[in-house]
Amino acid sequence: VRSDVDEFWNAFEHADTFGSLIQPNEQLIAPLKAAVEGVDEFVHGATLASARRAIEQAEYLTQRYSVAIANPPYMGGKNMAPRLSAFARDRFPDSKSDLFAMFIERSGELTKRGGHVAMITMQSWMFLSSFEELRKKLVSATAVRVVAHFGTGAFESIAGAVVSTSAFILAAVEDRDTAGVFIKLDDLPNENSKNAALLETAATADSEIRFELSGGQVAQVPGWTLSYWMSPALLAAFAGGQRLADVADPRQGMATADNGRFLRLWTEVGAARLGLALPSREAAAESGRKWFPYNKGGSFRRWYGNQEYVVNWEDDGRELMAERPKSVIRSPQYYFCESASWSKVGTAEPAFRYFPAGFLFDVAGTSIFAIDHSTLLSALAFGNSVVAREMLRASSTSMNLEVGTIAELPVRVRSSDEIEGIVERLIEIYRTDWNRDERSWDFARLTLFEHPKTTVKQAIESAIAVGEQATSIARELEESLNRQFAVVYGLEESLSPEIPIQNVALSANYLSRFGSAAPDAARHAASVAAVLDLVSYAVGCMLGRYSLDEPGLILADQESTLQDYLAKVPNPSFMPDQDNVIPIVDGDWFEDDIVARFRTFLRVAFGEEHFEENLRFVTESLGVKDVRDYFVKSFYDDHVKRYKKRPIYWLFRSPRGSFNALIYLHRYNPSTASTVLTGYLREFIGKLEANLEHQARVAAGMGGASTRDVATALKEADRIRKVLVELRDYEHDVLFPLAGQQIALDLDNGVLVNYQKLRPALKDIGLTKGANSE
């Protein structure tokens, strides 16, 4: 066929790029060689020479070798030139992810049946999901005879941990029964130690680093990974039960393509625009709300939590739908359904969480859905069990836990009242723990106020004790599940059900949160963290977000007012600030500054009797001489960190920080900047000017001032003059022009966009235009 002949010749057009990856049609070599011999060399000299050279190269590239040995080049698909990338996709679809993998596949094609391939390559082909199809092909068409798994450090000439290698021999035979020998050298530190261990293991049949694994066993493992270190019991466990995908439905979620536009931390937007706990897409559309809970994965946490983000799904996702195909709307039939979810990216071990109805989910917030609640809880229990952990260590050795890997896990345990009861209790423990943080939308009140209002120290100690008890109960329940699953899978002899205390990932578990190496230090860190929580909550009460008298959010909508507060809390024991501006300056210049307000808060919350003791404890816990030092120097940085650079309290700040005034974003209105200017900055300037006049009189020796008093007054007058220059420039160049603009904000735009509108009047917190909400 003419097209086949043309393809044969054209295959060598870029031989300098494709080299031995070229796959010529072997059946055409002999007839084309004969045809070339009959061509007039005098007429077609140059063409004939090229044709003969191509045929000779083609003969070298046939399946004619008994042994193929190579250390092939490495190049990831993303680094390939367009021509090579297209060639890889077309000719090597199962190994296109890296050049070395293409050479593994090609070497098998060049080797005769019964021959052998011996190579040293990157180890990634053994484990990563991108090479799964290659592994299936190799296990089906060849047999792994020997693998020396070197890992990093096999070559002293190559520094760093980037190059992780393995050396291996493949037999060109179909044999899934004969076990290959694997030598585990990746834990050894350097070339010499690996070499010595390899030689020692080769000389004996009994070695702790020698393992055996057949192709048939590989085929039982989801992803067909060459996880050779698995025990026989774990390998047997893979063989029984249904796939998880047969009893539940693991799914990957949406990708907005523009998180900065479509995602927010829930604290950024107005509460009236939040659609929480809605059971369906229809209910969400009918609600008229704009922002809905969004499962975006998150840090290591089991059973419940990581509920921080919301997504713009107004009018059933109208704006997101309009962005297709850039935005990818996967599995919409499961939006707002309850689920069990795990973080796809960056988890050291699996951590599955329950999400009640009302959530949409992200590509990184991959989720499992089931036909009923009991089945979902059973899948959740299995996912968090020690059995699933070991199975996933074997079948997913990368940091990404893919949907396909989860779907293939063998499930043997059906839902039962006992398992369901344990899981429900664990969910409730972790839910309570999550909701004790003010960043939860179900936060009611500070944990300290759940205990008798004695001293702050005693309240914190009581809260820590409650956390220790919850941690102990959660640990016992999780270990109970581990025991049950280990028995069902026949792994009770090889897997311990015990859980290290630091792995109980409750926020209240200070050994998990602050490290278990020094328990006393961790407990002290928990006490300090509780004080920081108290200060943050106190500021929230000062600004009207919270109340000592009513649970949950009080003011959390666009341009909320004090009248809105009083409608919800008619007779507050602690009145929030009237004009939404709380000055923070170094010195007692304002009667109602943040320090005075905090002192009042402590008196109301814990009583007058222990006020001095409580204030002293707070001050010592914060590591400052005076609580004013903390508010002036550290509070706002802590707030910005707490709210992940999307603060809800904003700090008007002069360039050197001589003047600061705190406002609450959700109470901001177009006249707020004017209030800061006229009610606080100018008043502060007036007081400093008056003090400067006083210092000048003292410096002039008036009133019988001593020499020492004169020197002190001169120094203070010089300092005040510098501060006044700073504040007058701030007034003239920044705050006065800003106040005149009467800028309106829209909470739907999020902190990033809104913060830019008031700069440079605000403290710089490192926000960059164009950054997203992640």
Side-chain angles (χ1 to χ4, degrees):
V1 180
R2 178 59 182 269
S3 61
D4 292 339
V5 173
D6 289 344
E7 184 180 355
F8 180 93
W9 298 120
N10 291 335
F12 292 90
E13 179 182 3
H14 303 291
D16 57 341
T17 298
F18 303 144
S20 55
L21 292 176
I22 295 171
Q23 300 162 299
N25 187 333
E26 294 188 24
Q27 295 179 350
L28 292 178
I29 294 176
L32 288 177
K33 186 175 184 179
V36 167
E37 294 301 325
V39 175
D40 189 333
E41 187 168 356
F42 181 76
V43 177
H44 302 284
T47 303
L48 190 60
S50 296
R52 286 173 175 167
R53 185 164 59 251
I55 290 173
E56 182 181 12
Q57 291 172 346
E59 289 177 327
Y60 282 120
L61 297 177
T62 59
Q63 192 177 45
R64 60 189 296 186
Y65 302 98
S66 296
V67 177
I69 301 175
N71 177 9
Y74 313 143
M75 179 184 290
K78 294 181 179 179
N79 296 320
M80 294 179 186
R83 179 178 292 127
L84 180 57
S85 180
F87 175 82
R89 291 193 303 270
D90 181 50
R91 299 303 179 92
F92 294 91
D94 298 330
S95 53
K96 63 181 182 296
S97 296
D98 200 291
L99 199 57
F100 83 81
M102 294 160 63
F103 275 101
I104 294 177
E105 186 173 351
R106 186 70 180 107
S107 297
E109 296 170 345
L110 294 170
T111 307
K112 295 187 294 186
R113 293 290 85 187
H116 290 82
V117 174
M119 305 183 78
I120 182 167
T121 70
M122 300 286 279
Q123 69 176 32
S124 50
W125 72 274
M126 300 169 60
F127 308 115
L128 296 189
S129 60
S130 54
F131 298 108
E132 180 177 344
E133 294 305 315
L134 174 62
R135 289 192 293 273
K136 289 180 179 179
K137 179 176 287 188
L138 293 178
V139 169
S140 299
T142 66
V144 178
R145 293 306 189 210
V146 180
V147 176
H149 182 197
F150 292 124
T152 60
F155 303 95
E156 292 182 354
S157 58
I158 302 177
V162 176
V163 179
S164 298
T165 59
S166 65
F168 55 90
I169 297 174
L170 306 176
V173 294
E174 295 181 10
D175 180 6
R176 288 200 183 188
D177 298 325
T178 304
V181 174
F182 293 77
I183 303 172
K184 185 173 175 56
L185 305 163
D186 60 316
D187 293 331
L188 300 175
N190 53 47
E191 180 178 339
N192 289 335
S193 60
K194 293 176 192 288
N195 182 61
L198 178 62
L199 294 175
E200 181 180 347
T201 304
T204 177
D206 184 16
S207 172
E208 291 183 353
I209 62 172
R210 184 184 189 277
F211 300 86
E212 293 187 357
L213 186 70
S214 70
Q217 291 171 319
V218 171
Q220 295 175 11
V221 180
W224 293 53
T225 59
L226 300 183
S227 303
Y228 56 85
W229 57 85
M230 290 184 290
S231 67
L234 185 57
L235 278 166
F238 274 111
Q242 292 178 288
R243 300 182 313 143
L244 180 69
D246 293 332
V247 298
D249 196 1
R251 290 282 180 146
Q252 194 176 66
M254 73 166 69
T256 72
D258 190 350
N259 284 350
R261 175 183 171 190
F262 291 108
L263 295 192
R264 301 282 181 266
L265 289 172
W266 76 269
T267 50
E268 297 182 70
V269 302
R273 302 283 274 159
L274 289 174
L276 302 178
L278 293 169
S280 66
R281 289 177 63 182
E282 292 75 18
E286 292 171 1
S287 72
R289 304 297 177 96
K290 180 170 184 174
W291 302 98
F292 300 89
Y294 191 61
N295 172 9
K296 200 175 178 299
S299 59
F300 181 88
R301 187 175 175 90
R302 291 193 174 107
W303 305 112
Y304 194 91
N306 290 1
Q307 300 176 13
E308 302 171 291
Y309 286 91
V310 289
V311 64
N312 175 1
W313 194 252
E314 189 174 25
D315 194 17
D316 202 33
R318 173 175 45 81
E319 290 185 50
L320 261 171
M321 295 287 192
E323 290 299 309
R324 293 180 296 182
K326 287 194 297 183
S327 62
V328 182
I329 312 300
R330 298 186 185 91
S331 309
Q333 70 274 26
Y334 287 121
Y335 294 174
F336 298 95
C337 296
E338 67 170 352
S339 67
S341 179
W342 72 96
S343 299
K344 172 187 173 183
V345 181
T347 52
E349 59 181 87
F352 289 77
R353 296 174 290 281
Y354 174 72
F355 280 81
F359 282 79
L360 296 89
F361 60 110
D362 186 82
V363 65
T366 39
S367 302
I368 299 171
F369 300 89
I371 58 174
D372 58 53
H373 184 67
S374 295
T375 301
L376 185 68
L377 294 188
S378 179
L380 177 62
F382 172 63
N384 280 333
S385 71
V386 65
V387 172
R389 183 193 70 198
E390 291 303 312
M391 286 184 167
L392 289 170
R393 281 181 178 175
S395 57
S396 179
T397 57
S398 74
M399 292 300 285
N400 286 358
L401 197 51
E402 304 287 351
V403 167
T405 303
I406 298 294
E408 295 297 322
L409 289 178
V411 175
R412 297 185 185 182
V413 178
R414 296 292 179 266
S415 58
S416 68
D417 290 342
E418 182 179 6
I419 288 178
E420 188 172 341
I422 292 175
V423 174
E424 292 280 18
R425 288 185 65 192
L426 282 165
I427 290 173
E428 187 54 36
I429 289 171
Y430 277 78
R431 189 201 321 262
T432 299
D433 180 74
W434 179 260
N435 291 339
R436 281 177 170 156
D437 191 307
E438 70 175 52
R439 291 164 296 181
S440 165
W441 53 65
D442 285 324
F443 172 76
R445 57 168 46 91
L446 201 65
T447 309
L448 304 187
F449 300 123
E450 296 176 3
H451 307 286
K453 296 181 182 179
T454 51
T455 66
V456 172
K457 181 178 181 181
Q458 289 171 344
I460 288 176
E461 289 175 346
S462 296
I464 289 175
V466 170
E468 290 173 330
Q469 183 180 26
T471 299
S472 177
I473 294 172
R475 184 186 192 185
E476 291 177 5
L477 293 172
E478 292 188 48
E479 289 179 345
S480 175
L481 287 176
N482 281 341
R483 278 189 288 271
Q484 294 187 52
F485 279 96
V487 170
V488 170
Y489 283 84
L491 296 170
E492 64 271 26
E493 296 298 325
S494 57
L495 294 182
S496 170
E498 296 180 0
I499 297 173
I501 191 68
Q502 64 270 21
N503 284 10
V504 181
L506 290 166
S507 297
N509 179 14
Y510 54 83
L511 294 175
S512 168
R513 189 175 173 187
F514 300 106
S516 58
D520 290 343
R523 187 183 178 93
H524 175 71
S527 178
V528 172
V531 170
L532 292 172
D533 291 344
L534 173 64
V535 173
S536 179
Y537 181 72
V539 172
C541 291
M542 295 176 203
L543 291 168
R545 183 172 177 86
Y546 307 114
S547 168
L548 286 170
D549 306 295
E550 295 291 337
L553 293 175
I554 307 300
L555 298 182
D557 280 309
Q558 182 95 34
E559 298 186 19
S560 296
T561 67
L562 185 61
Q563 288 68 36
D564 296 327
Y565 182 95
L566 293 174
K568 295 183 177 181
V569 190
N571 299 296
S573 59
F574 178 79
M575 179 69 76
D577 189 78
Q578 184 171 2
D579 60 10
N580 188 38
V581 180
I582 301 179
I584 306 176
V585 292
D586 191 4
D588 296 320
W589 296 100
F590 295 92
E591 292 182 359
D592 63 341
D593 73 354
I594 199 166
V595 175
R597 298 285 291 159
F598 182 71
R599 289 170 174 266
T600 302
F601 174 85
L602 274 184
R603 285 187 167 96
V604 174
F606 290 93
E608 182 67 39
E609 180 183 358
H610 300 286
F611 168 71
E612 293 296 337
E613 179 184 351
N614 287 334
L615 182 62
R616 184 168 56 254
F617 177 77
V618 168
T619 303
E620 291 173 353
S621 297
L622 294 174
V624 293
K625 293 182 179 179
D626 186 277
V627 73
R628 183 176 300 279
D629 292 338
Y630 173 74
F631 279 114
V632 170
K633 298 176 182 178
S634 303
F635 166 75
Y636 197 65
D637 289 338
D638 286 347
H639 174 69
V640 171
K641 182 178 180 181
R642 180 184 293 265
Y643 282 84
K644 297 185 175 180
K645 284 197 171 183
R646 299 296 183 268
I648 56 173
Y649 311 137
W650 290 7
L651 192 68
F652 282 81
R653 183 181 188 272
S654 60
R656 296 185 178 181
S658 298
F659 171 81
N660 301 277
L662 195 69
I663 69 163
Y664 177 25
L665 169 61
H666 294 57
R667 289 181 64 188
Y668 173 91
N669 62 60
S671 66
T672 297
S674 294
T675 302
V676 175
L677 172 66
T678 59
Y680 295 89
L681 177 61
R682 285 177 175 169
E683 181 181 342
F684 189 38
I685 289 174
K687 290 179 178 180
L688 288 176
E689 289 173 338
N691 190 29
L692 180 60
E693 293 178 2
H694 169 71
Q695 298 299 334
R697 288 194 297 271
V698 175
M702 298 175 64
S706 67
T707 303
R708 184 173 184 177
D709 290 339
V710 168
T712 301
L714 286 170
K715 184 176 180 180
E716 179 64 9
D718 184 58
R719 186 192 69 83
I720 293 174
R721 289 188 189 97
K722 292 177 182 178
V723 171
L724 284 171
V725 170
E726 172 196 353
L727 298 188
R728 286 166 181 156
D729 287 346
Y730 178 63
E731 175 192 12
H732 181 270
D733 298 338
V734 179
L735 198 51
F736 177 73
L738 185 71
Q741 296 177 46
Q742 294 283 295
I743 294 173
L745 303 179
D746 184 349
L747 293 183
D748 283 344
N749 290 332
V751 168
L752 176 63
V753 171
N754 286 321
Y755 210 86
Q756 310 297 330
K757 294 181 178 180
L758 300 185
R759 294 178 69 186
L762 303 176
K763 177 179 171 63
D764 183 5
I765 58 173
L767 292 179
T768 56
K769 192 172 183 179
N772 62 33
S773 291
E774 293 180 278

